[in-house]
């Protein structure tokens, strides 16, 4: 009979899986909270530029300056090197400063994205077809991560509404579900149990159709590097960063609220709505302030990440402490 030594027994084998997973999330969350406090300092210490050449990106031609409200150019853009070397993309690594290197060889052509479900004209787009849906626009948005840091990013993209209109949603479509590629050969950390794969997210239909909600295909005038969600990711600027799902392959129009990865992983900590709200603390840390990457000190977090004028009406009459 094989007798395992105590140190070779995984905690998953001696603890009920549910508690084991919760404990892992708790430990990770505790680490995140600690890192949030010192993000600026730690970031400066660890974000050593990689010796490897960066993934290839191409200039995007014909980018229109943003016509819509919500541009934050006056705040000062976060440097490109910070945006592309400090990432959350668990499919590649749970270490923010390792994602760029691990994702470097991620090939994103050919790529298809199917827009399906409750629609008159469901359709699969290849990348060129997707890029023809609307001219690329620059959108300078704040991104506020639930961990307590933020950036100002000059995205290139177009309103998701323009893509959804192409397939003609039925009136029974109340939500939009998004799914990231599932391919553990290319996204090596999908072999782990760090999250339930594939990464999924969801929006209510009115949130998805809001003009500020974009599909981003680039940043700083160039196509997205893999670590930022190439070739196409969602950006919802008034919500915590985890709603902005990367490397999307499927958009499904559905009748009921779809599952969302972090909400499934830890429902008491991450709600479906996840609107940036300085008044609703995460169970283990405050959301009242944030650290802008590249700056010292912290600044107050704004309700709806500063986009209240544009989006607060979507939530009129809702108790945002309950629907956090
Ligand atoms: N999408 C996928 N597929 N996998 C992820 O791990 N992380 C989310 C979001 N989208 C994530 C994802 C989180 S937690 C954040 S804060 C943002 O991506 C980070 O985007 P950035 O790395 O471009 O700043």
């Amino acid at each position: 009979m094989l007798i395992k030594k105590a140190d070779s027994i995984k905690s998953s084998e001696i603890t009920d899986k549910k508690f084991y997973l919760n404990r892992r999330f708790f430990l990770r969350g505790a680490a995140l909270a600690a890192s949030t406090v010192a993000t600026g300092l730690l970031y400066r210490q660890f974000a050593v530029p990689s010796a490897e050449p960066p993934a290839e990106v191409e200039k995007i031609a014909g980018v229109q300056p943003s016509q819509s409200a919500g541009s934050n150019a006056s705040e000062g853009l976060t440097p490109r090197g910070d945006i592309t070397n400090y990432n959350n993309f668990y499919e590649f690594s749970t270490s923010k400063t390792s994602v760029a290197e691990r994702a470097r060889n991620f090939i994103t052509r050919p790529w298809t994205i199917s827009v399906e479900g409750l629609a008159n004209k469901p359709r699969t787009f290849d990348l060129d077809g997707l890029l023809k849906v609307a001219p690329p626009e620059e959108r300078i948005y704040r991104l506020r991560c639930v961990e307590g840091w933020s950036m100002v990013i000059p995205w290139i993209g177009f309103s998701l509404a323009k893509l959804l209109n192409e397939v003609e949603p039925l009136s029974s479509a109340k939500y939009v579900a998004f799914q990231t590629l599932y391919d553990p050969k290319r996204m090596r950390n999908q072999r782990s149990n760090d999250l339930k794969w594939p990464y999924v997210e969801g929006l209510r239909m009115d949130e998805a159709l809001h003009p500020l909600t974009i599909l981003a295909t680039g940043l700083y005038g160039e196509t997205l590097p893999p670590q930022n969600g190439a070739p196409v990711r969602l950006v919802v600027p008034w919500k915590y960063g985890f709603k902005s799902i990367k490397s999307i392959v499927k958009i499904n129009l559905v009748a009921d609220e779809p599952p969302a990865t972090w909400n499934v992983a830890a429902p008491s900590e991450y709600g479906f709505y996840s609107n940036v709200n300085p008044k609703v603390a995460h169970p283990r840390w405050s959301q009242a302030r944030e650290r802008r990457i590249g700056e010292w000190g912290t600044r107050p977090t704004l309700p709806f990440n500063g986009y209240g004028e544009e989006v607060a009406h979507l939530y009129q009459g809702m108790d945002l402490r309950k629907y956090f």
Side-chain angles (χ1 to χ4, degrees):
M1 188 183 158
L2 182 71
I3 299 172
K4 286 193 177 185
K5 281 201 245 152
D7 63 3
S8 69
I9 300 173
K10 291 186 200 154
S11 56
S12 56
E13 292 174 69
I14 47 180
T15 318
D16 177 277
K17 185 146 190 216
K18 189 164 135 234
F19 294 110
Y20 156 71
L21 285 175
N22 280 342
R23 186 169 153 268
R24 280 166 30 128
F25 279 114
F26 178 78
L27 292 175
R28 183 173 315 136
L32 284 179
S35 76
T36 295
V37 175
T39 297
L41 277 173
L42 286 178
Y43 176 62
R44 279 186 171 75
Q45 277 175 16
F46 293 125
V48 181
S50 162
E52 303 285 341
E56 277 177 35
V57 291
E58 289 163 28
K59 270 248 153 324
I60 302 181
V63 177
Q64 319 280 311
S66 175
Q67 307 293 317
S68 37
S71 246
N72 301 119
S74 59
E75 284 183 19
L77 302 181
T78 301
R80 187 184 187 283
D82 291 351
I83 297 170
T84 58
N85 284 288
Y86 191 71
N87 302 101
N88 275 329
F89 202 168
Y90 275 43
E91 285 84 341
F92 292 101
S93 174
T94 55
S95 154
K96 286 183 239 309
T97 49
S98 301
V99 173
E101 163 58 20
R102 301 262 172 91
R104 202 169 53 87
N105 295 322
F106 182 55
I107 308 279
T108 55
R109 265 189 192 262
W111 191 273
T112 58
I113 172 164
S114 71
V115 190
E116 56 188 66
L118 302 169
N120 267 325
K121 296 182 176 166
R123 197 179 137 188
T124 297
F125 295 79
D126 64 16
L127 211 45
D128 292 328
L130 183 79
L131 296 174
K132 281 193 200 116
V133 166
E137 265 180 59
E138 180 165 80
R139 300 285 187 98
I140 298 171
Y141 286 160
R142 299 182 198 101
L143 180 139
R144 167 61 159 85
C145 180
V146 74
E147 295 159 4
W149 51 266
S150 61
M151 301 192 190
V152 179
I153 303 179
W155 299 110
I156 314 281
F158 56 85
S159 288
L160 171 66
K162 295 190 175 162
L163 178 71
L164 297 182
N165 290 341
E166 293 272 312
V167 302
E168 298 178 8
L170 301 176
S171 59
S172 51
K174 304 290 185 213
Y175 292 86
V176 183
F178 302 85
Q179 189 177 308
T180 292
L181 175 72
Y182 179 69
D183 187 344
K185 283 203 184 103
R186 292 157 73 196
M187 296 177 137
R188 302 278 291 209
N189 202 42
Q190 284 180 333
R191 298 170 185 194
S192 77
N193 290 323
D194 285 333
L195 285 174
K196 189 165 183 277
W197 312 109
Y199 196 102
V200 291
E201 256 306 336
L203 293 175
R204 217 170 54 189
M205 184 56 88
D206 56 349
E207 299 177 321
L209 292 176
H210 193 284
L212 286 185
T213 302
I214 60 166
L215 283 178
T217 55
L219 58 84
Y220 265 110
E222 295 173 335
T223 51
L224 283 180
Q227 62 268 35
N228 292 96
V232 56
R233 60 140 348 136
L234 184 71
V235 179
V236 195
W238 69 95
K239 293 182 181 276
Y240 290 118
F242 66 83
K243 296 294 282 184
S244 294
I245 180 173
K246 296 176 170 182
S247 305
I248 299 169
V249 291
K250 186 159 116 181
I251 298 179
N252 198 8
L253 307 184
V254 295
D256 301 314
E257 187 182 289
T261 288
W262 283 100
N263 179 238
V264 168
S268 61
E269 306 201 358
Y270 309 103
F272 175 80
Y273 282 92
S274 290
N275 292 321
V276 174
N277 191 342
K279 292 199 185 122
V280 176
H282 181 278
R284 288 178 281 120
W285 60 83
S286 163
Q287 295 289 19
R289 303 187 70 80
E290 69 200 55
R291 185 182 301 278
R292 185 65 49 84
I293 293 295
E295 291 180 2
W296 296 103
T298 61
R299 56 173 76 209
T301 283
L302 302 172
F304 299 109
N305 205 20
Y307 301 95
E309 221 169 276
E310 291 91 349
V311 302
H313 67 275
L314 299 177
Y315 308 101
Q316 232 156 31
M318 280 175 74
D319 177 354
L320 295 183
R321 288 183 176 273
K322 186 170 167 213
Y323 298 101
F324 65 93

